[in-house]
Amino acid sequence: MRIVGRFAWVFFVVATLCLLGSAYLSARRSAARVDAIEVADLQSLGGGLRAGFREIWAAKGEAAAIAFLDVARKDAPEGTFLAQWVPGPAQSPVRVEEAPGGRRASVALPLTTPTGVEGAIVLTRRLPDTRAILREELLAELGPAATLAVAGLLLVVVLGGLLIGGPLHRIAAQARRIGAGDLSQRLREDAPGELGELKRTLNTMCDQLVSARDQLEREETLRLETLQQLRHLDRLGTIGTIASGVAHELGTPLNVVMLWAHSLTHRELGPAQVRDAGAMIARQVDKMTAIVRQLLGFARRDGGARAPVALADVAHEAERLLGHLARKARCRVVVEVDGEGPVVRADRAQLVQVVTNLLVNALHAMPDGGAVVLRVGERREGEQRWASLEVADEGVGMPEAVAARVFEPFFTTKAAGKGTGLGLAVAKGIVDEHDGTLSVTSVEGEGTTFELRLPALDGTA
Amino acid sequence: MDHSSLLDAPVRVLLAEDDLDLRAVLRELLTQQSYEVLSAGSGSEMLAMLSAAARGALPRPDVILSDVNMPGLSGLDLLRAVRLAGWTTPVVLMTAFPEERVYARAHQHGAFALLEKPLAAARLLTVLSQALGRAAA
């Protein structure tokens, strides 16, 4: 409503000034008219006196004529005019002048006496005070002017409030709602003119915002789905890598079962031997079940909820998953844990995927065998406690230019068909989502160390 | 059995396998077939047993059965060491990773056969008999 208030004040001041100006001009006009009437009176009066003066001069002489002028003056109401015979050259016919005691108007009527004397009858009269007239007129105008201005002010306040203040208030409220993210309301588009256009523009903007927001939501959903699929693909890729290891891991207990079955079917065994054989077979089946369960757990598509996870457990699980691949590559995997090891809040399956990716890379970096150390510990950076898991290999290392790009999607130094180039990008994505960091340091010919850092939780799992 | 009566002495198999359960069942299977089984858990343990046999501290084996993938000395390393030490005993290797490279090296160092895991009992026994037949011939 402040805009209407300000507008009303401006209107009030301008209207008052206009009315006062108009009153002043009208008063000035009145004053001028009064002067003109006085002068005309003097002229008509002078005309009569001049005729009388000439006749009396002709009949009774100069003295009687001058006396006639005095008598005429005395007959007139007190102090209204002064009439004089002024012999001499012609004077200006009408003169208005300031004199001591007020303004005066003089009218000169030229006359030639019957005796041939040139002169003029001069009538002088005091004029009413212009300031007094102005004051009077202004006082008379002031009342109606003030009434008009106040009435106008009230009209502006009421109509302005109805026609501008209200709609503006609603528009402002709508703008605030939009700013706060509420796009459900629309303004009624009933107002004509600029306000109506403003409302229509605001409604159109609102519609566009809604459609843009929907589009954004659809794209975000799609992006998340794609990311999920990408991670699943990466996991399946890792499973392909570890498949031969798993085959061997399953192969041995399977072989034991098979050979026992052969013994049981081809030989007469004593009861004790049969019991031993049964127990042995049961143990192999347990082993195989554990392996299959681990693999299925790793391949599971949907990420589980976040929960406290001991980083050391993650390291051990990655080591178990890739143990055979490592042995086949003539590599040793060593897990070193500082004390009890830190605990983090994380999706365990995703963390296992990250560490597995790092471990597969480490094994691939050591074609001639060696040791990979999974080092689990805690780092402090000021107030921040970080849970750290390092994967350090003794492999070929990589040049700086390669190390700088390892987290880029589809960047790979492996032969075509050997790696997707997604493993480290996926790992980095998962770590970022956990508010952690994934970094790499590498020395060519000495080895590479990846370090995963996540915010450490208090206490242990 | 045929081979034992033929040689008039128990046939000795020297077995190297790092998986305890598999070693146990192989020992059981071979013992049932009247083989005398001496088993080792690793390649280096088997090398020690072979040098003991060379000194006469242990009976000489008639056939060697070894896993390829073992921690430390692999089956292929063992095969080379056996040949370098001058043993002509037939060697049968077993592997879960039957790759071209492994076949080539096994052949190069004179392995009698390379069996793929999982092992079929009948196939294993046949190959062992063949190895012994060749050794006897």
Side-chain angles (χ1 to χ4, degrees), chain A residues 145-422:
Chain A
T147 314
L148 255 176
V150 169
L153 178 70
L154 285 176
L155 205 67
V156 165
V157 167
V158 171
L159 283 181
L162 279 177
L163 294 177
I164 298 172
L168 274 184
H169 190 70
R170 283 191 287 280
I171 287 169
Q174 171 74 344
R176 270 197 299 277
R177 274 196 298 274
I178 292 172
D182 174 11
L183 302 176
S184 61
Q185 314 254 345
R186 292 290 181 279
L187 292 167
R188 271 192 301 147
E189 296 177 1
D190 49 2
E194 290 88 342
L195 279 178
E197 197 178 323
L198 189 57
K199 283 177 169 184
R200 279 190 293 280
T201 306
L202 211 59
N203 282 347
T204 309
M205 186 180 91
C206 218
D207 291 342
Q208 280 164 353
L209 278 176
V210 166
S211 87
R213 192 179 60 180
D214 290 350
Q215 174 83 9
L216 215 62
E217 271 170 11
R218 276 197 299 278
E219 277 168 9
E220 180 64 11
T221 311
L222 211 63
R223 192 185 73 85
L224 287 178
E225 276 171 11
T226 310
L227 200 64
Q228 200 80 15
Q229 283 167 358
L230 202 64
R231 286 180 185 170
H232 186 59
L233 272 180
D234 173 66
R235 271 202 294 276
L236 294 183
T238 307
I239 287 174
T241 309
I242 64 183
S244 63
V246 170
H248 182 262
E249 221 172 333
L250 282 175
T252 304
L254 204 63
N255 208 175
V256 173
V257 169
M258 213 159 88
L259 293 175
W260 272 116
H262 184 271
S263 286
L264 285 168
T265 47
H266 287 74
R267 287 282 143 185
E268 286 292 329
L269 298 176
Q273 280 175 303
V274 171
R275 244 196 330 273
D276 283 352
M280 184 75 85
I281 288 171
R283 210 164 72 218
Q284 305 308 315
V285 172
D286 283 348
K287 255 193 211 174
M288 290 187 278
T289 308
I291 293 163
V292 169
R293 196 169 288 151
Q294 202 177 20
L295 200 64
L296 285 179
F298 183 78
R300 200 182 58 216
R301 176 185 289 271
D302 51 327
R306 290 192 184 179
V309 179
L311 220 45
D313 289 353
V314 174
H316 283 297
E317 188 167 340
E319 188 252 328
R320 271 198 301 277
L321 273 166
L322 294 171
H324 273 85
L325 184 70
R327 277 192 286 284
K328 187 185 161 194
R330 315 189 118 262
C331 295
R332 279 179 307 123
V333 179
V334 184
V335 178
E336 290 177 3
V337 182
D338 281 355
E340 292 189 349
V343 174
V344 295
R345 174 167 293 281
D347 180 331
R348 184 195 169 96
Q350 288 189 334
L351 278 197
V352 170
Q353 185 178 2
V354 169
V355 178
T356 309
N357 281 352
L358 296 179
L359 193 48
V360 167
N361 274 346
L363 295 175
H364 284 160
M366 297 194 293
D368 301 323
V372 186
V373 181
L374 300 179
R375 204 172 289 118
V376 177
E378 201 176 295
R379 303 264 183 281
R380 275 176 186 278
E381 250 177 34
E383 284 296 293
Q384 180 68 49
R385 287 170 56 232
W386 291 104
S388 157
L389 192 158
E390 283 180 358
V391 180
D393 67 48
E394 302 172 335
V396 292
M398 50 193 163
E400 226 169 275
V402 173
R405 295 187 59 197
V406 288
F407 297 117
E408 289 176 20
F410 304 111
F411 179 79
T412 180
T413 55
K414 294 172 191 166
K418 279 278 187 171
T420 56
L422 284 176

